[in-house]
């Protein structure tokens, strides 16, 4: 769970930084998108790097889901008999909805691939013009796409905040002062990542990027 989570978080950070290149202009953004297809050349044929990356990420996502399922089953098996009376435990929203959040994120990833990777759900769907695809996707008249994207990214933020805090705990953080710092660090990281992703669709929606 931790290893695959870290791998996916690293991808999210790199992917976010790449998305922000849209603010450097259409030529620069399209050049970056096409450069991704040629990473590893001439050792790797055209687009091979992307397919290797997609394969690794797919394996990581599947392994992450499997790990979550195994841990959930172990938790239930460790307490086969329910409490006769159990006090409510104060927990964060992210902790209580971690599993459902994962399902929402998975559905969003599938939609996102069909939209901006394969182009099947994109109104333009032009592989030679990634910049145009993004602008067409988040155009003002398609506000519902921006809304769905926002909800999905916020869900990622909750998932990431709880996951990062849990990672600090797994690494041995147990003191009250350290816990406060871990919670703060996890929150700042999650908010920064969400902001980095959301600034692009809202820039298109408001006309800052067109």
């Amino acid at each position: 769970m931790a290893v695959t989570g870290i791998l996916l978080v690293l991808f999210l950070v790199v992917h976010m930084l790449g998305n922000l290149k849209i603010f450097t202009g259409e030529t620069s953004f399209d050049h970056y998108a096409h450069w991704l297809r040629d990473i590893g050349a001439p050792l790797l044929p055209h687009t091979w790097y992307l397919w290797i990356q997609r394969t690794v990420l797919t394996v990581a996502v599947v392994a992450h889901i499997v790990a979550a399922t195994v841990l959930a089953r172990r938790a239930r098996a460790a307490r086969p008999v329910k409490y006769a009376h159990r006090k409510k435990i104060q927990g964060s929203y992210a902790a209580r909805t971690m599993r459902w959040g994962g399902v929402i994120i998975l559905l969003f990833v599938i939609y996102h691939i069909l939209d901006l990777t394969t182009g099947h759900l994109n109104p333009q769907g032009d592989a030679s013009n990634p910049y145009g695809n993004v602008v067409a996707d988040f155009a003002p008249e398609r506000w519902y796409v921006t809304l769905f994207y926002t909800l999905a990214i916020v869900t990622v933020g909750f998932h990431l905040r709880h996951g990062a805090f849990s990672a600090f705990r797994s690494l041995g953080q147990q003191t009250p002062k350290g816990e406060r710092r871990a919670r703060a660090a996890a929150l700042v990281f999650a908010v920064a990542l969400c902001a980095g992703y959301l600034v692009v669709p809202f820039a298109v929606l408001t006309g800052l990027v067109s």
Side-chain angles (χ1 to χ4, degrees), residues 30 38 63 101 116 145 165 196 209:
D30 283 352
D38 292 322
L116 291 173
V145 174
F165 173 70
V209 172

Side-chain angles (χ1 to χ4, degrees), residues 11-90:
F11 168 75
L12 285 174
V13 172
V14 174
H15 188 47
M16 178 199 70
L17 295 175
N19 287 352
L20 293 177
K21 287 187 68 67
I22 199 167
F23 294 104
T24 62
E26 181 173 1
T27 301
S28 178
F29 185 77
D30 283 352
H31 179 269
Y32 164 72
H34 293 307
W35 170 76
L36 291 175
R37 297 178 172 85
D38 292 322
I39 292 179
L43 179 63
L44 296 176
H46 184 65
T47 73
W48 270 43
Y49 167 78
L50 285 179
W51 282 109
I52 292 173
Q53 175 182 275
R54 290 164 183 163
T55 301
V56 172
L57 289 173
T58 300
V59 171
V61 168
V62 172
H64 199 69
I65 294 172
V66 170
T69 303
V70 170
L71 290 176
R73 289 179 175 177
R74 287 180 181 176
R76 285 196 297 268
R79 180 71 62 180
V81 179
K82 294 183 178 180
Y83 289 105
H85 175 70
R86 183 177 182 178
K87 294 181 179 180
K88 291 184 178 180
I89 299 174
Q90 293 296 325

Side-chain angles (χ1 to χ4, degrees), residues 1-12 60-61 63-65 67 159-160 163 167 189:
M1 175 72 81
V3 171
T4 54
I6 290 172
L7 182 61
L8 293 172
V9 168
L10 290 176
F11 168 75
L12 285 174
V61 168
H64 199 69
I65 294 172
H159 198 87
L160 185 60
F189 179 62

